[in-house]
Amino acid sequence: MFRVGLSLIFCLLFTVATAQKKNAQKLFNEANLQLTPEKTIPLLQKAIAKDSSYSEAYLNLAHQYNQKKQYELQIATLATASEKCERKRQLILAQLSKAAYLNADYQTASNAISELNCQNSQELQQLKNCINFSIEAVSHPITFNAVNLGTAINTKYNDYWPSLSIDEKEIVTTVFLQDSNSTLPQEDLFISQKDNNKWRSIRPVSKIINTQENEGAQCLSADGKIMLFTACNRRTGYGACDIYISYKKGNTWTAPRPLPSPINTEYWEGHPCLSADGSQLFFSSDRKGGIGGRDLYVAQINLGKTVQVTSVKNLGIPVNTNKDEISPFIHPDGETLYFSSNGHTGLGRQDIYYSKRDSSGNFASPINFGYPINTNKDEIGLIINAKGNTGYFSCERKDSRQKDIYTFNIPTEVRPVRTTYLKALVKDKENRNLLNANIEVRDLNSSQIIYSATNTHTFVTPLTFGKEYAISISCLRHLFFSERITLKQQTETPFEKEILLAPIRKGEKTTMKNVLFKVNSFEIDTGYTAELDKTLQLINNNPDFHFEIMGHTDNTGSKAYNQQLSEQRAKSVYNYLIQNGADKERLSYKGYGDTQPISDDNKMNRRTELLVK
């Protein structure tokens, strides 16, 4: 009797268990027919109540919580499943480790991944590296204090993608004009100027740029006269999203037009960033032939009246990964690249990284900015001022309404090379009217032209500490202006100048500040001949005038020595100009020794001048 009774009990228990599993499966199937998490979740919970080892129900329930961004419930569900469901425990542990990592529960993620049997896969090894990095980063946070830019810049909507002129007096942002219950999103560009060190209230950039379509993810040129932005699904575009350009003429912007191929393609292109000298455009694209989903590219570009593209190059490994790299920002130092990525070792989702460019133009392995600048959320859209000490980016914090733009002090260990800038306004010396001139700024360390512009009366260009620059400004029927700037010591004050060009007439003269000689010699330093070529051009373009090369020295030597040296140096310049095509009948030279000082600084008195006769 006892044996028969025990068998009957086992049979009944098996029947009940089978019925419960069938009921659980029925609830699970019904849940799969629902269209919203709100209707799906209760059915999955009932299915699990019927069958506590129903792994598929746990996994689906965790997925539903993820869809609702209820990440703690997602983790709790997977943690319970890892204890209840032996059959698919390895899959559940993998899901748990990833979910916990993305929710900044790094210790739970570490515990889960340590129990996995197949840790040799590349994906799991990368996840393990990220978890270990995150635990270490959170344990050793860097100094960081984000300050909300306030209601002058931030709206009640989502504000993001800040861009800044090099003088920090103008900021442009993207505003997502959509309430939480709105169905029609609208991105527009807004701008603000700084007045007495305070930002004015933002206003729409321009009706010419802002349309009923979306405009966003923009950048400004260093002088604030060129705007590049991302626009999608335009009739004038090439593909899904393209990069558009607009020029500022006076107080208005020109009608935007797409940049040409091969920058824009049939694929997605966006997040433009123009180098401070205007010669390179960094952007993100998912075009065919890349390394991952979205890669970073750099284009050699000339943004004149007709945009010219010399080349487009994938930045390659180690910058790009098999995932997404977006929102590049090249600092005015020309060497430090900042960007966001979800493919490098980080704290979860998109983190901010920086990479230094070497003398060959290649970028080094990216370095994570660290915690708490980076978190388990998306950190994107970072820009940094020329000084390298202040950053701007968009995020959600306790004091933000939605996404707001914040500023923060850049930690010393992740700062770029400190730079300043030259900002100039060109005028006629006599009537003080604005003059449209030709501008050239040359890096004397490399002999490369870092900035050039034609037919403009204002310009802004970055200058990097530790370098020496030659500035040349010329205008028809005027004497040229030259200057040499040596940045040996860091300064808080940028170079802002009003440059006066003298009309060509008898008695006017200009100093050739970038014509240099070897020490105690009249031999011209061949590294400084560019200005002699401009002097030759000036002489040849003004055949109605005669010119004299005037040589001057300081007063450190004897009168006789100084007189002889000044005359020899003037003659060297004279000979160079004659040998290269100057009219001998209209050119003369004379040495003045130390008889015409212009400063207490002897360095200023050692000079060569061009006199109109």
Side-chain angles (χ1 to χ4, degrees), residues 95-320:
Q95 295 278 353
L96 174 59
S97 59
K98 185 175 182 180
Y101 162 68
L102 292 177
N103 197 45
D105 189 350
Y106 300 123
Q107 195 55 58
T108 296
S110 179
N111 295 340
I113 205 167
S114 66
E115 295 187 54
L116 288 171
N117 297 327
C118 52
Q119 295 187 34
N120 293 327
S121 75
Q122 185 176 354
E123 183 178 358
L124 283 177
Q125 186 58 51
Q126 173 65 4
L127 177 58
K128 188 174 183 179
N129 292 341
C130 287
I131 293 169
N132 292 337
F133 170 84
S134 300
I135 291 173
E136 179 69 16
V138 172
S139 300
H140 299 88
I142 62 177
T143 303
F144 176 72
N145 181 34
V147 178
N148 193 301
L149 284 185
T151 55
I153 299 298
N154 291 313
T155 69
K156 66 178 181 179
Y157 305 106
N158 281 312
D159 304 280
Y160 40 83
W161 302 121
S163 53
L164 197 68
S165 60
I166 198 169
D167 61 7
E168 300 183 62
K169 293 181 180 178
E170 207 165 51
I171 190 170
V172 178
T173 66
T174 300
V175 180
F176 190 74
L177 301 168
Q178 181 190 36
D179 290 317
S180 58
N181 59 351
S182 175
T183 57
L184 295 175
Q186 171 67 32
E187 284 182 317
D188 277 344
L189 302 181
F190 284 72
I191 192 168
S192 173
Q193 284 82 26
K194 189 172 283 187
D195 187 14
N196 293 326
N197 210 33
K198 290 184 179 180
W199 291 111
R200 299 176 184 171
S201 296
I202 59 170
R203 67 183 193 280
V205 164
S206 167
K207 291 181 179 179
I208 296 174
I209 291 179
N210 289 334
T211 68
Q212 292 182 349
E213 304 289 342
N214 292 329
E215 296 82 25
Q218 76 294 331
C219 76
L220 280 176
S221 60
D223 59 8
K225 293 182 179 180
I226 298 175
M227 189 180 299
L228 297 158
F229 62 91
T230 309
C232 302
N233 304 314
R234 299 287 177 90
R235 289 181 300 172
T236 56
Y238 288 69
C241 289
D242 295 295
I243 298 171
Y244 279 70
I245 186 170
S246 177
Y247 299 86
K248 194 173 187 180
K249 305 294 184 182
N251 293 322
T252 62
W253 292 91
T254 62
R257 66 178 190 269
L259 292 179
S261 173
I263 292 178
N264 285 322
T265 69
E266 62 185 293
Y267 298 92
W268 183 95
E269 278 83 34
H271 302 174
C273 175
L274 191 64
S275 62
D277 65 5
S279 67
Q280 293 186 319
L281 176 67
F282 292 79
F283 64 98
S284 181
S285 175
D286 65 359
R287 67 186 60 193
K288 188 176 180 181
I291 296 169
R294 291 179 178 175
D295 284 357
L296 298 186
Y297 291 78
V298 60
Q300 304 298 321
I301 192 168
N302 185 330
L303 298 179
K305 291 182 179 180
T306 302
V307 176
Q308 296 177 336
V309 183
T310 305
S311 65
V312 174
K313 177 185 176 183
N314 188 302
L315 290 189
I317 297 171
V319 171
N320 289 318

Side-chain angles (χ1 to χ4, degrees), residues 58 76 106 200 230 254 257 314 318 341 405 418 433 455 486 507 516 538 585 589 607 609 613:
Y58 281 111
Y106 300 123
R200 299 176 184 171
T230 309
T254 62
R257 66 178 190 269
N314 188 302
S341 171
I405 295 171
R418 184 184 177 88
N433 290 336
N455 199 34
T486 302
L516 301 183
L538 174 68
E585 300 300 320
Y589 67 91
R607 67 195 190 279
E609 294 178 317
K613 297 185 71 176

